[in-house]
Amino acid sequence: MSPAGLDYPGREKGLLADARRLWQSVAFRLALGYGVSVVLFMMVLLSVLYVQTIGVLQNRIDRQLVSASHRMLSHFEAYGPERLADDITENLTDGVNSDTEIYLLATASGKKIAGNIAVSRDLLRPTFGITEKQVLRDGRLSYSRYRTEQLADGSILVVGRDLRDQRDLEQLVGNALMAAAVVAVLLAVVGAVVFRGQLESRVGAIRRTAAQIEAGDLTQRIPVSGRDDEFARLSHDINMMLDRIEILMDGVRHVSNTIAHNLRTPLSRIRAKLEVASRPGTDPAQMAQATAFAIREIEELTVVFDKLLQIAEAESGARRQAFQPVSLNDIVADVVELYEPVAEEKHVELQVHMADEAVAPGDKDLLASAIANLVDNAIKYAGSPARVIVGTRATDETVSVVVQDNGPGIQAIERSKVGTRFFRLNRRVPGYGLGLASVTAIASLHHATLHLDDAGPGLIARIELPRMRST
């Protein structure tokens, strides 16, 4: 066997594998299905056109046969059989449609009087309408349409038309239809392959980017073409999603590292205190002091974890479905009442200014927690003499909770950072840097915005929420 013969089965398997992969492509099947649908529609349309064209020609022939038959019958009734035979001979020799006309005049016994077709049994039987059969015309078979009439004297008159031209036209139209069908199918297949290639090239970029991201490279992005098509918009949306995922992953890494760093110090202090207390001969008072210290540190860590859980819950949006109309004035009044003893202890003047009505959809407990964080920060950083103003404002579209202090404020360059977990402006003040991060997450959950503005001196913190519409 030749090397080519040995290689043929391998090539055949390769072609089958390529065809199988091509058929498994959704893009190819969709494009091919659309192309086949178009081809079928074209075939139906051309078939209707074909039938209508042939039908028009056939009706025209039938009308001519009926008209010629009636004319011959009129001549027979007016002039007799001899004149009818002369008319047939004249029609067959006048050169007008002589190559397609069919005439026969025969006696009842089957003797031919005039005409150009041979007498047969079928022709001697009168027809009710028009018949389409083969006849022997001028010594050759002719597929014809004819009409047979029995005259008053018993003789038979046949008037017909040779269908050779119509058959040629039918064959021409049929061949054209077949050629058009073959070309349409080839175009559908080629179009499907081209469409599949175009789609694969666009989808391939997305798949390659996804594979690189799966491998751990979150910086990869899908190339966006200059064309404003569906794939460009999809790529843009996916890139925005990837940007958000990268930010979230960076945030997770930052939070993980910060939690590990912030936990190490208090846990180390707790361990050191407990190790000292556990030594033999330790004074009971010292043991009690170490135990109290460990409890306080653990309580602070519990507060940190509670804040982190609250932030995670707010960012997940899980509590948004339970939103109800809440009065911000009532929440502010409750928070101010809670912090009045703290403000009095620290000699902070706490003022309240309420709008007439401030109602928004939300979670009362979460909004109270956010407002409490703002008030706590304001009291903590208030200047001297310390003054904190808490209130609500209302416009046609929004309602706001405003907390203003007269402290050092926050520089504009740092205002974008204060909502980050564990970010602290002044590390000499106790805290873990989760207060404003919690406020930011709660505001985002309520489709609200946290604004930080300079009060000169001091800071104005404002949570702006969409106003509850009355129905």
Side-chain angles (χ1 to χ4, degrees):
M1 184 178 293
S2 65
L6 288 172
D7 189 50
Y8 181 78
R11 290 201 304 270
E12 185 178 6
K13 290 180 180 178
L15 292 174
L16 290 175
D18 292 340
R20 190 178 299 110
R21 284 195 299 269
L22 192 63
W23 179 250
Q24 289 174 348
S25 169
V26 175
F28 176 79
R29 293 202 304 270
L30 286 175
L32 184 61
Y34 178 75
V36 170
S37 300
V38 173
V39 170
L40 291 177
F41 174 76
M42 290 176 56
M43 293 302 298
V44 171
L45 183 63
L46 292 175
S47 298
V48 171
L49 178 63
Y50 170 79
V51 172
Q52 291 292 332
T53 302
I54 300 303
V56 168
L57 293 175
Q58 185 171 299
N59 290 335
R60 179 182 178 185
I61 292 173
D62 291 348
R63 288 195 302 271
Q64 291 175 347
L65 294 181
V66 172
S67 176
S69 179
H70 289 169
R71 187 175 66 253
M72 292 293 179
L73 289 175
S74 299
H75 283 196
F76 171 79
E77 293 172 356
Y79 305 109
E82 291 80 4
R83 180 63 182 272
L84 180 58
D86 293 339
D87 287 342
I88 290 174
T89 303
E90 182 179 352
N91 287 336
L92 292 174
T93 58
D94 61 3
V96 179
N97 297 326
S98 300
D99 56 340
T100 58
E101 289 179 327
I102 291 176
Y103 289 104
L104 175 64
L105 180 61
T107 62
S109 60
K111 182 180 178 181
K112 181 177 178 179
I113 301 173
N116 60 346
I117 60 175
V119 179
S120 66
R121 238 177 237 183
D122 293 336
L123 294 174
L124 297 178
R125 288 195 297 267
T127 59
F128 299 94
I130 298 176
T131 303
E132 190 170 312
K133 286 185 179 179
Q134 281 188 336
V135 297
L136 190 61
R137 175 175 176 268
D138 294 333
R140 66 176 182 84
L141 290 175
S142 170
Y143 200 83
S144 307
R145 291 179 68 83
Y146 62 86
R147 179 186 178 94
T148 301
E149 299 280 356
Q150 188 172 22
L151 305 179
D153 61 354
S155 57
I156 300 299
L157 174 65
V158 178
V159 178
R161 176 76 177 267
D162 183 273
L163 298 180
R164 179 178 55 195
D165 294 342
Q166 183 176 337
R167 290 294 181 185
D168 292 341
L169 179 60
E170 290 178 5
Q171 185 176 3
L172 179 63
V173 174
N175 292 338
L177 288 176
M178 289 299 297
V182 171
V183 172
V185 170
L186 290 177
L187 289 177
V189 173
V190 172
V193 172
V194 172
F195 176 77
R196 186 253 183 188
Q198 291 289 328
L199 190 61
E200 179 65 24
S201 65
R202 304 297 294 274
V203 175
I206 299 177
R207 293 182 59 194
R208 288 190 295 272
T209 303
Q212 292 172 333
I213 293 174
E214 184 182 2
D217 188 1
L218 296 180
T219 62
Q220 291 297 322
R221 295 297 181 267
I222 300 171
V224 180
S225 64
R227 293 173 292 185
D228 186 20
D229 56 13
E230 291 81 358
F231 279 98
R233 291 192 290 270
L234 176 62
S235 300
H236 176 71
D237 293 341
I238 294 177
N239 286 340
M240 290 183 62
M241 178 187 68
L242 294 174
D243 291 340
R244 179 61 178 166
I245 291 174
E246 185 177 11
I247 292 173
L248 292 176
M249 291 301 297
D250 289 340
V252 169
R253 284 193 291 267
H254 171 71
V255 169
S256 300
N257 295 334
T258 307
I259 289 176
H261 176 75
N262 283 302
L263 286 181
R264 184 183 297 112
T265 301
L267 289 176
S268 298
R269 289 199 300 264
I270 293 172
R271 179 180 178 180
K273 287 285 185 180
L274 293 178
E275 283 180 348
V276 171
S278 63
R279 292 174 183 173
T282 303
D283 184 32
Q286 191 176 4
M287 292 180 63
Q289 183 183 4
T291 302
F293 175 82
I295 291 174
R296 287 195 305 271
E297 291 287 334
I298 292 173
E299 286 178 348
E300 289 186 10
L301 291 177
T302 302
V303 171
V304 172
F305 282 112
D306 288 341
K307 286 284 187 182
L308 290 173
L309 289 174
Q310 185 184 62
I311 293 172
E313 184 180 20
E315 290 179 341
S316 70
R319 297 177 65 168
R320 187 175 290 148
Q321 296 179 353
F323 279 6
Q324 294 179 349
V326 294
S327 172
L328 298 182
N329 289 342
D330 294 343
I331 298 175
V332 169
D334 293 340
V335 172
V336 169
E337 182 180 358
L338 177 66
Y339 275 89
E340 277 180 346
V342 178
E344 185 177 351
E345 181 183 353
K346 294 187 176 183
H347 307 289
V348 177
E349 180 186 355
L350 193 58
Q351 301 179 5
V352 180
H353 300 288
M354 300 287 195
D356 293 336
E357 181 182 5
V359 179
D363 185 293
K364 183 177 180 180
D365 295 335
L366 289 178
L367 289 174
S369 176
I371 297 171
N373 274 305
L374 295 180
V375 174
D376 184 74
N377 282 340
I379 293 175
K380 190 184 298 181
Y381 293 100
S384 180
R387 184 179 69 255
V388 174
I389 303 173
V390 185
T392 58
R393 298 176 186 173
T395 66
D396 293 339
E397 300 294 332
T398 62
V399 290
S400 303
V401 176
V402 182
V403 179
Q404 178 179 347
D405 64 65
N406 63 343
I410 301 176
Q411 295 183 5
I413 194 172
E414 294 181 328
R415 289 175 193 165
S416 61
K417 304 177 183 178
V418 293
T420 306
R421 298 178 183 88
F422 301 107
F423 179 81
R424 297 170 61 192
L425 286 172
N426 187 353
R427 295 190 174 273
R428 290 175 296 180
V429 179
Y432 287 93
L434 294 175
L436 286 180
S438 175
V439 175
T440 302
I442 293 172
S444 177
L445 175 68
H446 287 77
H447 300 295
T449 307
L450 174 62
H451 299 277
L452 300 176
D453 301 311
D454 187 18
L459 180 72
I460 300 175
R462 178 167 52 93
I463 302 176
E464 188 177 69
L465 301 96
R467 185 167 188 168
M468 172 65 71
R469 292 294 181 182
S470 58
T471 57

